[in-house]
Amino acid sequence: MAWALKLPLADEVIESGLVQDFDASLSGIGQELGAGAYSMSDVLALPIFKQEESSLPPENENKILPFQYVLCTATSPAVKLHEETLTYLNQGQSYEIRMLDNRKIGELPEISGKLVKSIFRVVFHDRRLQYTEHQQLEGWRWNRPGDRILDIDVPMSVGIIDPRSNPNQLNTVEFLWDPSKRTSVFIQVHCISTEFTMRKHGGEKGVPFRIQIDTFKENENGEYTEHIHSASCQIKVFKPKGADRKQKTDREKMEKRTPQEKEKYQPSYETTILTECSPWPEITYVPNAPSPGFNTSHSSFSIGEGNGSPNDPPEPPAPIVDVSSGITPVQIFLQQNCLHNEITEQDKNLLPTSTPQEAQQWLHRNRFAAFSRLFTNFSGADLLKLTRDDVIQICGPADGIRLFNALKARMVRPRLTIYVCQESQQLREQEQQKHENGEPGNGAFFVYHAIYLEDLTSVELTEKIAQLFSISPHQINQIYKQGPTGIHVLISDEMIQNFQDESCFILDTMKAETNDSYHIFLK
């Protein structure tokens, strides 16, 4: 049985009129604006939407970071909205980073009046290069021996305590600082962005880097391992004055854009604020060569004046030990200080037949442990084939020259070399008898001995002559030199200092009458 609702006639008329009025009101929508005039941004700009948007609490709006790091360099104007800022730096130039304390009253009371440690890193911005960071840095180390990627300009910095840099981590530096005091650190970045590009044909676009700062506080054991805060910013490094030119080019390009296009880009800020980020993961790789003077323990000393360093005496730093290699600290100490009890003459000089293991031992004994990893697979013949330029390019000028001289077993040239010959009494009498008889001499053959002098004193000459002829130095009474007209001049230190290098002397001896001693004459 179906039921139907019967409306009165008056109600049907009213309903029909309402429908017609509603259709008429909808029919005019869009006719005045037209299809091209509609814009969603205009709709969102209405006051009702702005009020609704402002009422929404943004993420982390109420969160105040404990520290803030400010790089005192302008950002690039050619960065679009909602993208991370980009800052251009010059290679090797000192740039200030201010370390600011943003804590509220009562926040983090455990670090009040105490020091914190900050670790600075220059890392790759590109995720692909982050995965191969170790290989990239090792290649840079090979091409730039002795150089670092990141350094602290200590004389210009203020408030930093115990700055340190690990020789095996070229892109990392660290220091202690007091948040309650003014702290500014000046850093220098020595690598440029184009050194890590895949293809280098000129005009290539350099890879961006990141400056990351991780700050830690002390734990119960006095080690700075409890993470507090991390922040980073994006940079590109150019050759000297290249950053200034790039900044100027970006500014000129932005001036040529229309006002509508400029709205899509960020303005250039006078300083760069480092934004909060996750802490950088610790590097698990430990090189074979120990690295003295770099650890996580508190060992502070004053750098300049007014840095607020504590009065505690510095503690000796502990070297990093590669546990996986099985080398004990005692063995490292022996290797670094060459304290092996038995070192034969063959061990002192590297031989062409030496194996790579023997070459490694030779490097450690001769204080080249820092470069042992670079020469891991080098045998004795491989090392001896290296030229002077090769060694300097690998190890740097100072250690390169020292290693080259050690490989060639070069001795230090003495300050003075003289040659002496002991005149035979029998030969002298024979020559004198032939001269009296009018007979010609037979051209006596004399054998000379070299004497090398370093101190250039008469005492040293006496000892060398006594050693040469197997007598005691006390048996030599005086040493004379034959002067003009056959006079005998007593040899002094000043006379030896005026000897001509590689002079030749005939040595004659005369026994003293009073005791068992000799007078030495140089002719």
Side-chain angles (χ1 to χ4, degrees), residues 417-481:
T417 302
I418 62 174
Y419 304 102
V420 297
C421 170
Q422 186 177 15
E423 187 177 7
S424 172
Q425 181 71 20
Q426 181 180 1
L427 183 60
R428 183 173 55 191
E429 292 177 354
Q430 291 178 359
E431 289 292 324
Q432 185 176 1
Q433 184 177 3
K434 289 182 180 181
H435 180 70
E436 293 176 353
N437 297 335
E439 299 178 1
N442 56 0
F445 179 75
F446 299 100
V447 177
Y448 286 82
H449 300 272
I451 294 180
Y452 303 105
L453 302 177
E454 293 291 344
D455 299 334
L456 305 184
T457 61
S458 58
V459 175
E460 183 186 20
L461 180 60
T462 301
E463 293 176 351
K464 292 295 180 69
I465 292 178
Q467 182 181 3
L468 182 61
F469 297 106
S470 301
I471 61 176
S472 173
H474 301 288
Q475 292 182 269
I476 299 178
N477 193 357
Q478 295 290 349
I479 301 178
Y480 303 93
K481 181 179 181 300

Side-chain angles (χ1 to χ4, degrees), residues 391-418:
V391 179
I392 290 176
Q393 184 179 2
I394 296 172
C395 304
D399 290 321
I401 294 174
R402 190 168 65 89
L403 177 57
F404 180 76
N405 290 336
L407 289 172
K408 305 304 179 183
R410 293 191 171 186
M411 300 298 293
V412 179
R413 183 178 177 86
R415 296 177 63 187
L416 178 64
T417 302
I418 62 174

Side-chain angles (χ1 to χ4, degrees), residues 139-152:
W140 191 88
R141 183 201 300 267
W142 181 267
N143 294 325
R144 301 271 297 274
D147 291 346
R148 289 188 54 81
I149 291 178
L150 180 63
D151 271 327
I152 296 179

Side-chain angles (χ1 to χ4, degrees), residues 297-472:
S297 63
H298 169 48
S299 172
S300 61
F301 53 89
S302 174
I303 300 296
E305 297 181 357
N307 286 347
S309 60
N311 297 323
D312 298 337
E315 301 174 1
I320 293 177
V321 180
D322 186 3
V323 181
S324 61
S325 63
I327 301 177
T328 64
V330 176
Q331 291 174 335
I332 293 177
F333 180 80
L334 293 176
Q335 291 173 351
Q336 288 184 332
N337 296 275
C338 301
L339 295 181
H340 296 291
N341 293 329
E342 297 181 359
I343 299 179
T344 62
E345 192 67 28
Q346 181 179 357
D347 293 331
K348 292 182 180 179
N349 298 330
L350 186 65
L351 303 178
T353 56
S354 299
T355 62
Q357 292 76 14
E358 293 172 344
Q360 290 290 308
Q361 296 173 2
W362 182 88
L363 289 170
H364 281 279
R365 282 196 302 269
N366 290 271
R367 295 178 291 117
F368 295 106
F371 305 101
S372 60
R373 188 175 177 276
L374 294 175
F375 302 110
T376 301
N377 298 321
F378 279 65
S379 64
D382 296 332
L383 288 173
L384 291 171
K385 288 178 183 179
L386 294 174
T387 64
R388 185 174 182 270
D389 294 337
D390 294 337
V391 179
I392 290 176
Q393 184 179 2
I394 296 172
C395 304
D399 290 321
I401 294 174
R402 190 168 65 89
L403 177 57
F404 180 76
N405 290 336
L407 289 172
K408 305 304 179 183
R410 293 191 171 186
M411 300 298 293
V412 179
R413 183 178 177 86
R415 296 177 63 187
L416 178 64
T417 302
I418 62 174
Y419 304 102
V420 297
C421 170
Q422 186 177 15
E423 187 177 7
S424 172
Q425 181 71 20
Q426 181 180 1
L427 183 60
R428 183 173 55 191
E429 292 177 354
Q430 291 178 359
E431 289 292 324
Q432 185 176 1
Q433 184 177 3
K434 289 182 180 181
H435 180 70
E436 293 176 353
N437 297 335
E439 299 178 1
N442 56 0
F445 179 75
F446 299 100
V447 177
Y448 286 82
H449 300 272
I451 294 180
Y452 303 105
L453 302 177
E454 293 291 344
D455 299 334
L456 305 184
T457 61
S458 58
V459 175
E460 183 186 20
L461 180 60
T462 301
E463 293 176 351
K464 292 295 180 69
I465 292 178
Q467 182 181 3
L468 182 61
F469 297 106
S470 301
I471 61 176
S472 173

Side-chain angles (χ1 to χ4, degrees), residues 188-207:
Q188 298 172 340
V189 182
H190 299 288
C191 64
I192 58 177
S193 296
T194 53
E195 289 184 278
F196 299 97
T197 52
M198 296 296 294
R199 299 178 180 178
K200 299 181 180 180
H201 301 295
E204 61 275 357
K205 187 177 181 180
V207 300

